[in-house]
Amino acid sequence: MNVAIIGCGGMGRLHAEMAANCGLRVVACADAVRKAAMSAAAPYRAKAFENPMGAIKSKEVDIVVITTPTPTHEKYVLAAAKAGKHIFCEKPFGRSSLECKRSIAAAKKADVKLFVGHVVRYFHEFEAIKAQIESGAIGEAGWVKLYRGGIYPGNAKSWFRDYAQSGGVTFDCMIHDLDWVRYVFGEPKRIFCQALLRKTPTQLDYSQVTMRMKNDVIATIIGTWAHPSGFRVKVEACGSKGMVQFDSSDAPVSGEARKTASGPTMIVPMSPVAVSPYQREWEDFLGWVEGRSVPRVTAQDALRAVQMAEAALQSAEKRQPVKL
Amino acid sequence: MTKIGIMSFAHMHAHSYAECLNRLPGVELVAIWDDDAKRGRKMAKEFGAPFVKDRDKFLARELDGVIITAENVKHRALVEAAAAAGLWILCEKPLATTVKDAKAMVKACKKAKIGLGTAFPCRYSLPLMTAKDMLDSGAYGEVYSVACTNHGQSPGGWFADEALSGGGATMDHTVHGVDLLRWMLGKEFTQVYCELGNQFHKETMKTDDLGSMNMEMEGGIQVSHIASWSRPQSFPTWGDVTMEFICENGVLNVDAFNQKVIVYNDKTKHAGWAAWGDNPDLGLILDFVSAVRDKRDPVISGIDGLRATEVTAAAYKSSKTKKAVKV
């Protein structure tokens, strides 16, 4: 099968590599910035497009990967569905739950597979935590804490810095943890959120959530784009008979160069694993496309994650909890 | 010689306070009273001070001040009795379990013209004092957000009996974080949201053992605080006090008790943390003794205890109403 990458930033190039690893052909790379499209296309001898619609409509394309800024996801999902292509959409699914619902309806109508990349479900450490909880190692789980983030992503002109587009750390980054908590502990009941969403004097965002689940578990979730450097993930789940903890800063490999050309940057620390979580996510998606299996995460799950993030931002504005 | 008595060893912090009194020069632990005579006699033996069974006789002894480390709900009656006897008082935290009690205690001490202190030893923790100095230096600029934790293992006993403790982990562990932030930032709390429950110990207790709070301070500072008894028996230490400050010019992290060596012991088949940091209780007791001597209020006053109690009360109210409530 042949793949088109729509949006050739970091995630677009990563998904092109994963698709190629799965034996797929990357045939089209589209980006409004021509240079980005060309450099993404080069390793695969793919065709570079400035107009995403050209790539989406291209006859040889079977799968469209959408890795553009969040508010543009819907229009590309709709176009891809209309063109009869299967879709891999990066998270967040859309900038609003309404956009997500229209996307789901379009994929259903066109009878194409629509997958949303909630990759945290595929991370080895998160699988291990879930397995420990489900094995009864901590007894009955009562509280979970997740912490994720580091430096504010993107350069000064990046869409990440426009809260209307990205939704800040709550919508773009914490959505991973909102999804994972629901994946492991079931549906949420209500959510309370405090978010900084600062623009001046320095742009930074820090989000603190308390969420009550229907099964009575309490979740505390912190997302940060307020740190001067780095990226860190911490997880802690406590139960009646024990607790399980993870901290990405406690990694098997660590190094520090004496000099870096570009200064501090957003480095995602990844413990080396034989098959990366992104690769596993692709294998799961392809299993579904080829009719071999049902994926771990559905578009409906991704819609729920967007609804939770929306509720969080609504709570932050009202300074009161929001029912889900 | 400053003469101090201890009223009740119900709270385990009394052991450390008694040790501090015995270590400090110019102070004498002169008597111990306890409504549990067996415990009182044992402690009297351990710390080398006479046990006095009758409360009035205890208060009538030659004393300058008392440390009250009874069960939370008994604080008010003991503070009022000691105040009436004209004694300086250091009361274990939480000062009271209700705002009404806390106010009455502050009022009684004011009327008796004696000093009332609340035992918030964390203010004398060197890592936390260092963090305050760093914030005060201005290098970090304005503080925007803070994420705090005060986790612990379940203390069991009367702590888990609401009739004596007034509440669970939220009652026990909210006041530390609240007092630290009031002290470090010089601002009051204005709003509290709290989800709490018995999340881990349904089989052994009825009180809450975790409160997850989102609070606001003056100027809109956003604060999360976890008050919990979530640490299992197999955890390598009793718990923690941690704070992450998100500031204009950077991020500041404190893990107040992270001065430790890790011990692997085949006898216990268990990894443990042995703490080597300075004991913050010593600073607390030293200030109290100085306050008694100088006839002044302790640095951490009854008002500080009252303010922290107000926030805890708001947290419990929020968990009932399921709304963020004003302090």
Side-chain angles (χ1 to χ4, degrees), chain B residues 18 26 28 50 80 185 296 299 318 324:
Chain B
E28 197 184 345
E80 286 173 345
L185 305 180
R296 61 163 171 86
V299 167
S318 165

Side-chain angles (χ1 to χ4, degrees), chain B residues 255-269:
Chain B
D255 185 351
F257 295 91
N258 193 17
Q259 290 173 304
K260 63 177 195 259
V261 290
I262 304 173
V263 185
Y264 303 91
N265 183 336
D266 277 349
K267 264 186 230 155
T268 58
K269 302 243 187 304

Side-chain angles (χ1 to χ4, degrees), chain A residues 226-241:
Chain A
H227 278 62
S229 67
F231 186 84
R232 189 175 183 184
V233 175
K234 292 186 281 185
V235 189
E236 187 171 300
C238 298
S240 56
K241 299 270 187 279

Side-chain angles (χ1 to χ4, degrees), chain A residues 32-169:
Chain A
V33 180
R34 185 163 169 75
K35 257 172 97 176
M38 284 175 68
S39 79
Y44 310 102
R45 295 182 190 181
K47 201 171 161 192
F49 289 82
E50 267 176 83
N51 179 3
M53 294 306 179
I56 290 169
K57 285 176 189 159
S58 171
K59 271 207 177 121
E60 55 174 355
V61 168
D62 304 297
I63 293 170
V64 172
V65 176
I66 300 167
T67 41
T68 52
T70 309
T72 64
H73 286 179
E74 185 199 2
K75 71 176 171 192
Y76 299 133
V77 169
L78 263 50
K82 202 175 169 193
K85 320 288 189 192
H86 297 304
I87 302 156
F88 184 118
C89 180
E90 190 43 70
K91 54 74 2 209
F93 188 7
R95 186 61 184 84
S96 73
S97 49
L98 191 65
E99 291 169 19
C100 301
K101 284 177 185 167
R102 288 194 297 244
S103 293
I104 290 172
K108 197 176 171 193
K109 194 179 161 202
D111 196 23
V112 295
K113 304 282 201 295
L114 169 58
F115 181 89
V116 183
H118 276 285
V119 73
V120 167
R121 293 193 184 202
Y122 298 89
F123 268 73
H124 297 63
E125 58 269 36
F126 278 82
E127 276 190 346
I129 293 161
K130 184 169 180 278
Q132 287 294 330
I133 294 168
E134 286 169 0
S135 76
I138 66 165
E140 195 190 331
W143 177 65
V144 60
K145 182 177 182 180
L146 296 106
Y147 180 104
R148 178 182 304 276
I151 195 171
Y152 203 105
N155 59 31
K157 285 180 185 163
S158 161
W159 68 276
F160 283 111
R161 292 183 181 250
D162 177 2
Y163 291 121
Q165 287 193 65
S166 71
V169 73

